[in-house]
Amino acid sequence: MLQIRKLVSYKYCVMTSFRTYAANPISEKQIDDLRQFFLGFPGGSVDLKKDEKSKIAYIFLNNPERRNALSGKMMADLHDSVCELERWTSGKGVILHSSGPIFCSGGDLTTVKQISNPQDGDKMCEFMQHITQRLLNLPLVSVALISGRALGGGAELTTSCDFRAMTQNAEISFVQAKMGVATGWGGGTRLVKIVGRRNALKALLSCEKIDAKRAAEIGLVDYVIEENEDPLNGVSSWLERLLSHDETVVRSIKNVVTVAEYLPPLESLQVERSEFAPLWGGKANKAALQQNIKHK
Ligand SMILES: C[C@@H](C(=O)O)C(=O)SCCNC(=O)CCNC(=O)[C@H](O)C(C)(C)COP(=O)(O)OP(=O)(O)OC[C@H]1O[C@@H](n2cnc3c(N)ncnc32)[C@H](O)[C@@H]1OP(=O)(O)O
């Protein structure tokens, strides 16, 4: 019993410190300073809704007048949403979405123009890398629903989820090179992991419009919304089917996959063990054994 308690407390320590570590090793004070700085650039909001029945949360990018561009204030909102989701212990999934013809037109150019110097650019980079990595590392399975176009920082945002769903007319374009910059929100690093080195290099240099067909070819999209399907209902049903297991199982699987990406194998195996032990003989496991399931 003591051994199991030790394992559970090990798991808690590793996962708590890991989430911040893998997001960027910066202190709470630094994060708070960055948050305060970016709150000074107003416009739009990022709205969080949690559905306790389906255990799926929805992060909504809301800045329609500027084609859902991300203002400094929205970056701070996104940070707050991710923090709230880290505390949502009964959740299983999260969907990042917006409405209108543009999923997200990137950084809000009103904000961007006011911080157009290397020092502030680095601050934005640090804050956005931190937020997007924390989003990706949540113990929730995440999907970016790209309905319409995702440009620049908007394209980078789509890589901060486990999966991407696209509508038939959606396009993802990494236009950073055309803007005289490279990716800075962590999207370059994540894109290489998703589509591989050559496809990433091509997407970043060509600034091409990647439609659903091309995205499927390079492994950038996981679910294409059907012609007559409501995008949000469609992706929610797709995710619910994937998350049909007990939340303890879903969250453990997500944690194991997350740590395997960052930690050396021996440490990752230790986390896997600490995730497994409490599940073995647990509520979901006992219920499954009682059903005498045949996996035909
Ligand atoms: C962080 C950084 C990075 O690269 O790392 C970035 O993301 S830089 C940002 C990279 N993104 C961009 O450069 C986007 C530039 N915008 C566009 O290409 C276009 O606006 C589209 C996004 C394709 C939308 O074209 P569409 O014909 O639908 O609308 P529109 O051009 O009339 O735009 C409607 C209104 O939204 C505003 N608007 C559009 N995108 C904006 C943005 N990113 N920031 C601030 N305002 C923006 C327009 O100025 C316009 O405002 P008014 O009606 O008041 O004139």
Side-chain angles (χ1 to χ4, degrees):
M1 197 59 201
L2 187 66
Q3 173 71 355
I4 298 296
R5 240 185 256 138
K6 260 201 212 152
L7 269 176
V8 173
S9 106
Y10 173 81
K11 165 184 148 176
Y12 179 78
C13 290
V14 171
M15 292 315 296
T16 308
S17 58
F18 171 79
R19 258 189 280 287
T20 317
Y21 161 76
N24 248 351
I26 56 177
S27 69
E28 289 290 328
K29 162 92 175 66
Q30 281 170 295
I31 301 166
D32 199 48
D33 289 349
L34 288 166
R35 184 179 171 277
Q36 287 305 328
F37 176 77
F38 283 101
L39 270 177
F41 303 93
S45 63
V46 173
D47 309 323
L48 176 67
K49 203 181 84 189
K50 289 179 289 185
D51 180 354
E52 294 291 348
K53 191 159 169 271
S54 67
K55 300 183 189 295
I56 293 176
Y58 295 84
I59 299 177
F60 183 65
L61 306 177
N62 182 20
N63 193 5
E65 294 81 22
R66 296 178 186 167
R67 298 294 189 258
N68 298 320
L70 219 67
S71 66
K73 190 252 177 198
M74 288 169 75
M75 293 174 193
D77 281 359
L78 185 59
H79 165 269
D80 297 351
S81 299
V82 170
C83 289
E84 191 171 337
L85 289 175
E86 282 172 353
R87 294 189 293 269
W88 192 37
T89 50
S90 58
K92 292 187 192 180
V94 55
I95 296 174
L96 174 68
H97 70 123
S98 65
S99 67
I102 310 286
F103 163 76
C104 174
S105 61
D108 184 336
L109 294 168
T110 321
T111 300
V112 167
K113 283 173 191 161
Q114 291 178 73
I115 58 167
S116 181
N117 63 75
Q119 290 74 24
D120 288 344
D122 187 49
K123 270 189 194 169
M124 177 180 73
C125 214
E126 190 169 38
F127 195 42
M128 282 306 291
Q129 285 189 2
H130 182 81
I131 299 166
T132 50
Q133 284 298 108
R134 268 172 88 163
L135 172 57
L136 186 61
N137 296 341
L138 284 170
L140 309 169
V141 177
S142 52
V143 188
L145 168 58
I146 307 132
S147 49
R149 299 183 62 191
L151 295 152
E156 292 195 58
L157 267 190
T158 71
T159 65
S160 65
C161 290
D162 296 308
F163 298 111
R164 278 145 295 284
M166 290 173 81
T167 56
Q168 305 270 340
N169 64 342
E171 286 168 350
I172 302 174
S173 320
F174 292 86
V175 297
Q176 282 82 351
K178 274 202 211 169
M179 305 291 291
V181 290
T183 53
W185 294 2
T189 301
R190 292 187 295 263
L191 188 64
V192 172
K193 290 192 175 183
I194 299 166
V195 300
R197 179 179 173 139
R198 284 163 59 245
N199 285 320
L201 200 52
K202 229 184 277 172
L204 296 170
L205 289 172
S206 68
C207 306
E208 67 183 309
K209 291 177 180 169
I210 304 171
D211 62 13
K213 184 168 169 283
R214 174 82 186 125
E217 278 166 14
I218 61 174
L220 185 56
V221 67
D222 301 280
Y223 181 67
V224 180
I225 308 289
E226 313 236 337
E227 200 86 56
N228 296 317
E229 197 174 27
D230 173 76
L232 197 54
N233 286 341
V235 75
S236 299
S237 311
W238 180 79
L239 187 58
E240 272 184 62
R241 283 196 294 279
L242 203 59
L243 305 184
S244 62
H245 319 284
D246 192 81
E247 71 258 25
T248 54
V249 174
V250 170
R251 293 169 69 91
S252 279
I253 289 175
K254 173 66 195 276
N255 284 344
V256 169
V257 168
T258 303
V259 292
E261 198 180 354
Y262 300 97
L263 295 183
L266 286 180
E267 284 177 50
S268 170
L269 285 167
Q270 187 66 20
V271 173
E272 186 166 342
R273 186 176 156 201
S274 68
E275 289 287 348
F276 175 82
L279 294 177
W280 188 247
K283 176 179 61 126
N285 184 220
K286 278 196 176 130
L289 289 172
Q290 267 183 2
Q291 285 173 47
N292 194 24
I293 302 169
K294 305 280 181 219
H295 307 280
K296 289 187 179 169

